[in-house]
Amino acid sequence: GVGVDLAAAGIGADLKGKPLEVGKGVVRAEGKDVALLAYGSSVNPALAAAEMLRADGITATVVDARFCKPLDRDLLRRIAKEHAALISIEEGAIGGFAAHVMQFLATDGLLDHSLKFRPMTLPDRWIEHGSYEDQIAEAGLTAGHIAGTALNILGRKSEATKYVLSTLR
């Protein structure tokens, strides 16, 4: 049989886990160069992008936002102050999670200095039906696209193309 350590996942003898704290994100990886703020199914590609970037000598903080509303303002403030660049990633439309994050960053004064911000969302155009992987690639939301965006925002444009080109079939 296969054994699963439920206690390691926070599940006690009563088979109840630890409830999610509403409005609190989770840092999945710590880095210093760029922060990848992922929402929903974009967390795993963000983690994969962080691994790609590590090969280029760039460390990335990956945050699983977990909630769009309310935003984890304390965590956003922290990553905005500790990183030169912040990229939000979501499989949502323009005007969604990224707009909410930008609104907070702007009204909190976090965009008044040197922080560079880029939202990665679904593009405002038709995407053909197909496999999930093909649609995400066409939308520009793969791990390679995320890594390429990070390199671009950090001023390493010539290196970014290798990741974007790797997503083309």
Side-chain angles (χ1 to χ4, degrees), residues 19-157:
L20 291 177
E21 190 174 347
V22 175
K24 292 295 178 190
V26 175
V27 176
R28 301 286 181 195
E30 288 279 2
K32 62 180 178 50
D33 300 310
V34 63
L36 306 176
L37 176 63
Y39 180 64
S41 58
S42 300
V43 174
N44 285 336
L47 287 166
E51 288 299 316
M52 295 168 137
L53 291 166
R54 183 173 292 133
D56 284 312
I58 294 171
T59 61
T61 295
V62 179
V63 174
D64 178 352
R66 295 169 80 184
F67 295 90
C68 181
K69 292 187 177 191
L71 286 175
D72 188 340
R73 293 168 178 255
D74 293 335
L75 183 54
L76 279 175
R77 243 181 233 110
R78 189 192 108 196
I79 63 173
K81 290 177 180 177
E82 292 178 358
H83 298 83
L86 170 60
I87 301 169
S88 70
I89 307 126
E90 67 177 299
E91 287 180 22
I94 296 167
F97 174 68
H100 192 45
V101 170
M102 267 191 295
Q103 175 76 22
F104 170 72
L105 294 173
T107 57
D108 210 55
L110 296 165
L111 296 176
D112 294 350
H113 304 287
S114 60
L115 179 67
K116 295 178 182 179
F117 177 77
R118 296 292 183 279
M120 293 184 74
T121 65
L122 291 173
D124 188 21
R125 63 176 168 76
W126 175 257
I127 295 178
E128 281 296 325
H129 290 270
S131 71
Y132 173 77
E133 293 78 17
D134 288 344
Q135 289 182 316
I136 290 302
E138 189 175 335
L141 294 173
T142 65
H145 287 104
I146 297 167
T149 299
L151 285 168
N152 268 320
I153 200 172
L154 294 172
R156 295 170 63 173
K157 293 180 187 346

